[in-house]
């Protein structure tokens, strides 16, 4: 089995700067969505987690390379090198370019700034020397400039490539004698055109491509990933406004150049640069619309009035509560027109730029008289959802009618999990079974360092579960992730007549995989199609949990979708009906779990659907021993592995591993301890 490489990891650990990471993530998400998930990761993740099999590109942003050395020297760099040599790709911007050269020479002779030494990665087999241009000051724009770069179009065969463009520069180096390394797989992609501050040897290489084993690296001195729109014109630096204006004029050729670089590294680029849409209004309703007022009543003690309007100001977000019944028809139409124009969080003229979503006020329309109309929520049919919910409740055993009854929907939101879990005042007052869903998430979250890509066509929702402490001896909270995984698989195979053989499986502890329809059925190649994230807080004798689920429904990228796997003769999957089926299935499973715990029936159901029966793995946390996966414990959901000795014979030793402290790379057969 082969894992599809769908992650782009941006190093955000020791040595990196917040601004450089944000610029990287901003630009890469716009150029690579929806093909890849762009994820910031720290040093621990690089050193300890099994990231290489699913990673398409590792990015080292700007910052200070000594911090990179302190964290990654040794094991971290060994894993990065191995990843690239085995076919991966590395993109190093500025400090990331210094760091990946054989030798770094920065401000030699300057006692305050000098950094000199050999580096472990050595993708560029020579020296990166800086400053290419003088004036650099850490955490300042004083040395920033609009550096002119001349592109070698013969080295970039794909895409529309400019001959010359201006790039943001602040502290980068030049790759000394780069032409002399042509025989070692080095190509010059762009050169500085202006006089340099340091000796560059032959040429003036600003950006180089380096062949590394079966993979490759691109290293830069300047910052072609920086978009002018995200630079601060108020920065305390002479001439910086002119620099920004100059960079803005060359934004298209800059973007075209970065696209060409990404394609040279083997990535699939979105030719139509995507933008992050503005946040939309949220719609709160219930199966019986008047019951929405009960939710509001439960929130009364945290609602504050300001200028005649009602707000909830919580830890992460501020919510503005609105009631359509209080509006005139004209005012409502105006508001809906405004929503369609996507202006809710870009009041500065709609420019696509880096946004701090926690500062954006989230507007919530409370529908107490009737469900939202198709004009208000064109991408989600509330009438269809509640009709299917009622139907499935009538046909599902032990279903709790509270689950899915109260619904918060937004066309474009940050993250359903963040909105519930990070706003604890709100969460403490919501009923068990409260559901939040969205059409598009712009800041989705995943387990650990992971993220699940959330384009339109994904079904994304979160459930509130209030689990009493008294249930813990019999029904531990750790099993919520297993119940959610079972609910997805059982819900899909019972979605409608003909779905009982749908090719979908569980990966321990909380991922959903499906057969890859692009591969032959004989190859049994599975790809990730969904994920689960459970966050729990202890409060007043109960656990408040948010169960988040993301599932590719109709979107074919970044892996595959339920729609791509659905035979043409079966009724199509719709988000409203699927949400209703998954919520009622989870509700039924959870109701039974509260009574029986994770009993033998649950265990057998879980094994029927999972991928790991008798799989042989390497337990890196146990000194690299081989073991065979035997199951999970019914008391605390620990993974059971049986140690193997000579000729894979059992030694009699049993190892148990926790789901929240280990990472399982199914395709590599590795279990690694998380720290």
């Amino acid at each position: 089995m082969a894992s599809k490489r769908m992650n782009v990891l941006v190093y955000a650990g020791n040595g990196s700067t917040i601004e450089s990471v944000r610029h990287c993530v901003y630009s890469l998400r716009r150029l690579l969505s929806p093909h890849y998930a762009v994820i910031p990761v720290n040093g621990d993740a690089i050193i300890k987690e099994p990231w290489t099999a699913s990673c398409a590109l590792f990015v080292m942003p700007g910052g200070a390379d000594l911090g990179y050395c302190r964290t990654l020297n040794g094991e971290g760099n060994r894993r990065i090198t191995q990843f690239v040599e085995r076919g991966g790709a590395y993109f190093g911007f500025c400090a990331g370019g210094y760091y990946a050269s054989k030798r770094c020479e920065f401000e030699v002779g300057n006692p305050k700034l000098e950094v000199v030494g050999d580096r472990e990665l050595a993708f560029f087999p020579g020296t990166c020397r800086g400053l290419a241009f003088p004036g650099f000051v850490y955490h300042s724009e004083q040395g920033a400039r609009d550096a002119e770069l001349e592109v070698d179009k013969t080295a970039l065969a794909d895409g529309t490539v400019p001959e010359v463009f201006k790039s943001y520069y602040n502290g980068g180096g030049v790759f000394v004698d780069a032409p002399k390394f042509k025989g070692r797989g080095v190509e010059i992609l762009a050169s500085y055109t202006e006089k340099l501050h340091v000796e560059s040897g032959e040429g003036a290489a600003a950006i180089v491509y380096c062949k590394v084993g079966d993979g490759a690296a691109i290293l830069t001195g300047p910052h072609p990933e920086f978009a002018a729109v995200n630079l601060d014109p108020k920065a305390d630096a002479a001439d910086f406004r002119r620099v920004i204006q100059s960079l803005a004029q060359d934004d298209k050729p800059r973007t075209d150049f970065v696209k060409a670089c990404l394609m040279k590294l083997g990535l699939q680029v979105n030719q139509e640069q995507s933008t992050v849409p503005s946040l939309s209004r949220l719609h709160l309703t219930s199966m019986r619309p008047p019951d929405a007022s009960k939710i509001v009543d439960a929130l009364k003690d945290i609602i504050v009035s300001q200028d005649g309007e009602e707000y909830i100001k919580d830890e992460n977000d501020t919510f503005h509560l609105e009631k359509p019944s209080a509006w005139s028809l004209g005012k409502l139409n105006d508001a809906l027109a405004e929503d369609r124009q996507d202006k809710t969080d870009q009041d500065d003229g709609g420019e696509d730029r880096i946004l701090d979503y926690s500062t954006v006020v989230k507007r919530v329309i409370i529908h107490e008289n009737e469900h939202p109309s198709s004009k208000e929520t064109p991408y989600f049919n509330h009438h269809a959802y509640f009709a299917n919910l009622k139907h499935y409740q009538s046909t599902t055993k032990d279903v709790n009618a509270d689950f899915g009854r109260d619904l918060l929907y937004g066309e474009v939101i940050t993250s359903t999990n963040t909105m519930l879990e990070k706003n604890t005042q709100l969460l403490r007052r919501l009923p068990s079974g409260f559901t939040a869903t969205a059409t598009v998430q712009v800041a989705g979250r995943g387990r650990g360092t992971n993220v699940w890509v959330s384009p339109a066509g994904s079904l994304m929702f979160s459930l509130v579960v209030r689990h009493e402490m008294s249930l813990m001896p019999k029904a531990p909270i750790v099993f919520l992730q297993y119940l959610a995984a079972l609910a997805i698989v059982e819900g899909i195979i019972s979605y409608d007549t003909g779905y009982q053989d749908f090719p979908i499986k569980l990966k321990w502890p909380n991922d959903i995989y499906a057969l890859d329809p692009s591969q032959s059925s004989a190859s049994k190649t599975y790809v990730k199609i969904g994920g689960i994230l459970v966050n729990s807080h202890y409060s007043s004798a109960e656990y408040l949990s948010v169960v988040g689920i993301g599932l590719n429904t109709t979107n074919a990228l970044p892996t595959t979708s339920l729609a791509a796997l659905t035979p043409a003769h079966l009724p199509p999957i719709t988000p409203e009906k699927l949400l209703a089926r998954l919520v009622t299935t989870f509700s039924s499973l959870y109701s039974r779990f509260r009574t029986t715990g994770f009993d033998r029936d649950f265990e057998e159901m879980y094994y029927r659907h999972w991928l790991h029966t008798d799989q042989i793995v390497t337990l890196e946390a146990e000194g690299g021993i081989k073991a065979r996966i035997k199951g999970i414990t019914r008391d605390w959901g620990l993974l059971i592995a049986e140690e193997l000795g000579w000729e894979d014979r059992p030694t009699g030793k049993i190892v148990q591993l926790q789901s929240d402290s280990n990472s399982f790379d199914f395709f590599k057969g590795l279990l690694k301890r998380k720290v």
Side-chain angles (χ1 to χ4, degrees), residues 71-269:
T71 298
L72 298 174
N73 273 0
E75 178 62 14
N77 287 335
R78 185 193 68 79
R79 300 190 76 195
I80 295 170
T81 299
Q82 187 181 75
F83 160 71
V84 178
E85 288 179 342
R86 293 181 177 179
Y90 174 101
F91 211 150
F93 296 106
C94 196
Y98 284 113
Y99 185 65
S101 298
K102 184 176 181 181
R103 183 171 176 81
C104 168
E105 294 183 2
F106 181 81
E107 281 293 82
V108 176
N110 183 333
K112 293 183 178 179
L113 294 177
E114 180 179 280
V115 178
V116 179
D118 293 340
R119 296 293 181 262
E120 292 181 350
L121 294 181
F123 296 152
F124 175 67
T127 298
C128 183
R129 180 179 294 153
L131 299 166
F133 302 104
F136 172 76
V137 177
Y138 278 109
H139 309 298
S140 167
E141 302 289 5
Q142 291 184 31
R145 65 190 293 148
D146 50 332
E148 185 177 75
L149 305 180
E150 183 178 3
V151 179
D152 185 346
K153 299 181 73 170
T154 63
L156 294 168
D158 296 322
T160 303
V161 184
E163 293 184 359
V164 177
F165 73 98
K166 297 284 186 70
S167 172
Y168 175 82
Y169 168 91
N170 196 358
V174 59
F175 298 93
V176 178
D177 286 326
K180 295 182 179 180
F181 297 104
K182 183 177 181 180
R184 298 175 64 178
V186 174
E187 301 175 41
I188 300 173
L189 304 185
S191 300
Y192 297 112
T193 64
E194 302 159 275
K195 180 178 173 58
L196 299 180
H197 181 58
V198 293
E199 175 58 45
S200 64
E202 184 180 342
I207 301 174
V208 294
Y209 169 90
C210 310
K211 185 65 178 168
V212 183
D214 292 332
I218 290 180
L219 316 181
T220 81
H223 282 281
E225 81 283 15
F226 274 42
V229 70
N230 292 318
L231 297 172
D232 183 7
K234 298 177 182 178
D236 186 16
D239 203 36
F240 194 55
R241 283 183 178 271
R242 183 205 61 77
V243 169
I244 294 176
Q245 292 171 357
S246 172
L247 294 173
Q249 291 174 0
D250 270 11
D251 194 64
K252 185 181 185 307
R254 174 196 67 82
T255 302
D256 288 341
F257 176 80
V258 176
K259 285 182 180 179
C261 288
L262 292 168
M263 286 188 283
K264 190 172 180 70
L265 289 173
L267 277 80
Q268 187 175 356
V269 174

Side-chain angles (χ1 to χ4, degrees), residues 317-475:
D317 295 296
T318 296
F319 301 92
H320 180 194
L321 307 183
E322 304 173 348
K323 295 185 180 182
S325 58
W327 297 358
S328 67
L329 184 60
K331 187 174 180 180
L332 177 59
N333 288 334
D334 290 344
L336 293 175
E338 180 186 348
D339 241 12
R340 296 277 68 77
Q341 293 169 7
D342 286 332
K343 296 290 186 181
T344 56
D345 58 9
Q346 293 179 354
D347 297 330
D348 56 359
E351 281 189 311
D352 182 29
R353 62 172 71 231
I354 295 172
L355 291 171
D356 182 355
Y357 289 108
S358 65
T359 65
V360 179
V361 175
K362 283 72 178 177
R363 293 182 287 180
V364 184
I365 302 176
I366 302 162
H367 297 267
E368 298 175 322
N369 297 321
E370 59 184 359
H371 294 147
S373 67
S374 59
K375 183 176 181 180
E376 293 170 282
T377 60
Y379 299 101
F380 189 86
N381 187 324
H382 283 75
H383 298 280
Y385 165 71
F386 284 116
N388 280 291
L389 185 70
K390 187 175 182 179
H391 164 71
Y392 284 129
Q393 286 177 345
S394 68
T395 61
T396 303
K397 185 179 179 182
D398 298 326
V399 70
N400 183 333
D402 291 339
F403 276 78
R405 180 189 64 189
D406 303 308
L407 184 72
L408 182 69
Y409 165 79
E411 181 181 327
V412 182
I413 70 167
T414 51
S415 158
T416 57
N417 256 46
T418 296
M419 198 172 299
L420 297 179
E421 192 252 332
K422 294 296 183 182
N423 293 297
T424 55
Q425 292 189 74
L426 176 68
L427 178 61
R428 288 171 186 158
R429 292 161 176 82
L430 293 176
S432 196
F434 185 92
T435 305
T437 188
T439 299
V440 174
Q441 288 188 161
V442 296
R445 298 168 58 202
R447 183 174 182 262
T449 60
N450 298 323
V451 69
W452 187 241
V453 184
S454 306
S458 298
L459 176 63
M460 298 152 287
F461 68 99
S462 297
L463 294 169
V464 175
V465 179
R466 307 184 76 107
H467 193 76
E468 300 95 308
M469 186 64 183
S470 60
L471 295 171
M472 287 294 287
K474 174 176 55 181

Side-chain angles (χ1 to χ4, degrees), residues 398-635:
D398 298 326
V399 70
N400 183 333
D402 291 339
F403 276 78
R405 180 189 64 189
D406 303 308
L407 184 72
L408 182 69
Y409 165 79
E411 181 181 327
V412 182
I413 70 167
T414 51
S415 158
T416 57
N417 256 46
T418 296
M419 198 172 299
L420 297 179
E421 192 252 332
K422 294 296 183 182
N423 293 297
T424 55
Q425 292 189 74
L426 176 68
L427 178 61
R428 288 171 186 158
R429 292 161 176 82
L430 293 176
S432 196
F434 185 92
T435 305
T437 188
T439 299
V440 174
Q441 288 188 161
V442 296
R445 298 168 58 202
R447 183 174 182 262
T449 60
N450 298 323
V451 69
W452 187 241
V453 184
S454 306
S458 298
L459 176 63
M460 298 152 287
F461 68 99
S462 297
L463 294 169
V464 175
V465 179
R466 307 184 76 107
H467 193 76
E468 300 95 308
M469 186 64 183
S470 60
L471 295 171
M472 287 294 287
K474 174 176 55 181
I477 195 95
V478 68
F479 282 103
L480 285 184
Q481 61 187 331
Y482 300 142
L483 296 181
L486 285 172
I488 294 172
V489 176
E490 289 282 324
I492 290 171
I493 64 177
S494 62
Y495 176 81
D496 210 325
T497 303
Y499 276 81
Q500 61 273 10
D501 296 321
F502 206 88
I504 192 163
K505 294 288 185 180
L506 311 177
K507 170 182 167 291
W508 183 85
N510 51 14
D511 287 329
I512 308 300
Y513 276 67
L515 273 180
D516 187 346
S518 66
Q519 305 294 319
S520 66
S521 57
S523 69
K524 291 287 184 180
T525 300
Y526 285 88
V527 292
K528 184 175 178 179
I529 199 172
I532 299 156
L533 176 65
V534 180
N535 294 108
S536 299
H537 303 273
Y538 180 73
S539 176
S540 301
E542 67 177 354
Y543 280 97
L544 288 173
S545 299
V546 177
V547 180
I549 292 172
L551 191 63
N552 281 1
T553 306
T554 60
N555 54 302
L557 296 171
T559 55
T560 188
S561 67
L562 298 179
L565 292 161
T566 303
H569 68 277
L570 294 182
I573 288 179
T574 64
E576 297 87 354
K577 184 175 179 180
L578 182 60
L579 177 60
R581 173 72 286 196
L582 298 186
V583 167
T584 50
T585 305
F586 179 86
S587 174
S588 176
L589 294 174
Y590 177 65
S591 294
R592 184 156 68 85
F593 171 70
R594 288 169 58 90
T595 302
T596 67
F598 202 79
D599 63 7
R600 186 166 297 280
D601 288 341
F602 271 120
E603 184 183 34
E604 291 175 356
M605 184 191 305
Y606 194 82
Y607 294 156
R608 250 193 337 265
H609 297 308
W610 82 333
L611 287 162
H612 310 301
T613 300
D614 290 331
Q615 182 185 355
I616 295 177
V617 299
T618 301
L619 304 181
E620 292 197 0
E622 302 293 329
I625 66 172
K626 288 179 69 176
R628 179 178 283 114
I629 300 299
K630 302 303 294 182
I632 58 174
T633 66
R634 296 211 311 265
D635 52 359

Side-chain angles (χ1 to χ4, degrees), residues 645-665:
W646 184 65
E647 293 186 342
D648 291 341
R649 295 177 180 176
T651 66
K653 179 182 177 181
I654 300 295
V655 180
Q656 297 183 351
L657 301 134
Q658 285 182 259
S659 64
D660 61 351
S661 61
N662 292 275
S663 290
F664 192 9
D665 186 339

